[in-house]
Amino acid sequence: MRLEELSREAMIRSVADGREGSAMMAFDSVLNRAEIEAVVDYVRTVFIAGNGINTRYHIPENGWENHQRYASAFPFATGEIALDAPLDQLTPEQRTGRQLFVTSCVTCHDRSKVNDEGELWNPRAVSFPRGGYSNKAAVLDGVAVASKIDALSSATPFSRHEIAPQIEGLTSQEQLGEEIFQANCAFCHGATGTGRNWVGSFLQPHPRDLTDAEAMRGMTHQHLTKVIAEGLAETTMPAWRGVLNVDEIDAVAAYVMRAFVPHDE
Ligand code: HEC
Ligand code: HEC
């Protein structure tokens, strides 16, 4: 629908009731009727009718002199041409525009249109501030680490908590547990179980130091399997029962017990 055809009533309805299937929430419990009408009238006057300066971005007032000179990149910003359209189907001008788009416009416009969206859901850490980090365990110089450590983080005090302890004679169950722990748990708990890795240091509450005798006093295999399966309320400790099966939870508990929890000799 063209903006000019959008009626005041339809806008009031959208603000009051929200738009199902979108991030637009219902405001009827937040704003009263007069407030909803006022905000709709503001949007209508300033943005739709007024086409005010603050409604358009690429204008000299915002530092974009002669935006028209980037016209070759416009179709990629508006989504007219998909960013992953085969290069050999583009004219030379469109190719130049695409190049300009990916170097200078993509930061704000993202990929306004792509034909192949790729994976919708890929369970990877995105906020972990290290290049190429993956949750998958890797082996570096014969040592299991949570992930390949990049040059930056290996210069930080966190990285020594990314190196799994080397333990002789793990049973096959404990080995499975090690794999699972280093791939799934080390992200928060550190490969050392101390929680003094990067992510662990920022969580509130912190994951406790699984190697600390005081914190782990009286810990039993049974308690571990319960916590791992069910998670811990009001912490970021997830429930794993939908991810790991009973044997895997048993294995990771066995590994935690063997690798981290101090035992009175
Ligand atoms: C700093 C962020 C930013 C950058 C960088 C940026 N844009 Fe935009 N662009 C915007 C915003 C914000 C809008 C307004 C979006 C809206 O109203 O939907 C916009 C709108 C547009 C539009 C549609 C309407 C119009 O004003 O013409 C085009 C075309 C466009 N940008 C092209 C480009 C091109 C080409 C580049 C790279 C040379 C670029 N943009 C870089 C933020 C940016
Ligand atoms: C998203 C972060 C995160 C992940 C991933 C995570 N944990 Fe936790 N874990 C925590 C936090 C936070 C706590 C709660 C603070 C505390 O008491 O230690 C916790 C607590 C624990 C405890 C102590 C519970 C208790 O009651 O004594 C154990 C054991 C534990 N986690 C094991 C694991 C195992 C095994 C995995 C992998 C299967 C795992 N965690 C994955 C964040 C995480």
Side-chain angles (χ1 to χ4, degrees):
M1 191 200 315
R2 292 176 49 80
L3 267 183
E4 299 79 63
E5 295 163 9
L6 192 58
S7 76
R8 182 170 182 272
E9 282 60 46
M11 290 176 70
I12 290 173
R13 256 198 320 277
S14 293
V15 176
D17 303 338
R19 300 283 299 204
E20 216 178 315
S22 84
M24 175 63 187
M25 60 174 263
F27 280 90
D28 55 358
S29 58
V30 181
L31 303 175
N32 64 35
R33 177 73 192 194
E35 288 168 334
I36 290 176
E37 285 181 12
V39 74
V40 163
D41 287 339
Y42 173 78
V43 170
R44 293 183 67 78
T45 322
V46 176
F47 298 108
I48 300 182
N51 208 2
I53 274 185
N54 54 345
T55 67
R56 279 169 302 135
Y57 183 68
H58 291 292
I59 51 175
E61 288 82 347
N62 284 333
W64 290 88
E65 293 294 341
N66 189 13
H67 189 228
Q68 205 53 35
R69 76 195 127 137
Y70 305 123
S72 65
F74 287 6
F76 298 94
T78 56
E80 209 175 299
I81 305 179
L83 203 52
D84 56 351
L87 284 184
D88 55 15
Q89 289 176 15
L90 301 182
T91 66
E93 202 210 339
Q94 289 169 336
R95 259 180 261 176
T96 312
R98 186 184 178 283
Q99 185 58 25
L100 174 62
F101 183 82
V102 295
T103 48
S104 310
C105 322
V106 75
T107 35
C108 295
H109 284 276
D110 200 35
R111 334 158 300 162
S112 40
K113 180 170 171 218
V114 288
N115 291 320
D116 178 7
E117 282 290 344
E119 284 176 277
L120 274 184
W121 169 246
N122 183 1
R124 292 189 58 205
V126 290
S127 58
F128 203 58
R130 302 191 312 191
Y133 180 84
S134 151
N135 272 339
K136 295 230 167 60
V139 175
L140 267 189
D141 300 329
V143 181
V145 292
S147 165
K148 198 160 63 73
I149 293 173
D150 71 352
L152 264 179
S153 62
S154 56
T156 79
F158 300 112
S159 66
R160 66 197 180 88
H161 296 284
E162 310 282 8
I163 299 169
Q166 281 193 290
I167 308 164
E168 296 288 308
L170 291 180
T171 66
S172 60
Q173 188 197 37
E174 288 163 353
Q175 274 172 23
L176 173 63
E178 178 182 43
E179 250 171 61
I180 295 170
F181 185 91
Q182 297 303 342
N184 299 285
C185 322
F187 182 66
C188 293
H189 285 278
T192 53
T194 56
R196 293 205 200 97
N197 57 326
W198 173 279
V199 167
S201 308
F202 288 97
L203 293 178
Q204 288 294 341
H206 292 308
R208 79 187 58 181
D209 183 347
L210 301 177
T211 68
D212 183 89
E214 196 49 46
M216 299 304 278
R217 184 187 297 282
M219 184 57 69
T220 61
H221 180 88
Q222 205 195 354
H223 177 83
L224 279 180
T225 54
K226 183 170 185 290
V227 174
I228 296 166
E230 293 172 12
L232 276 179
E234 280 160 41
T235 79
T236 48
M237 172 66 187
W240 291 90
R241 59 171 178 257
V243 180
L244 303 175
N245 65 33
V246 173
D247 291 340
E248 290 168 332
I249 290 178
D250 250 346
V252 76
Y255 172 73
V256 169
M257 221 40 176
R258 172 78 187 272
F260 306 129
V261 179
H263 302 281
D264 312 320
E265 294 306 328

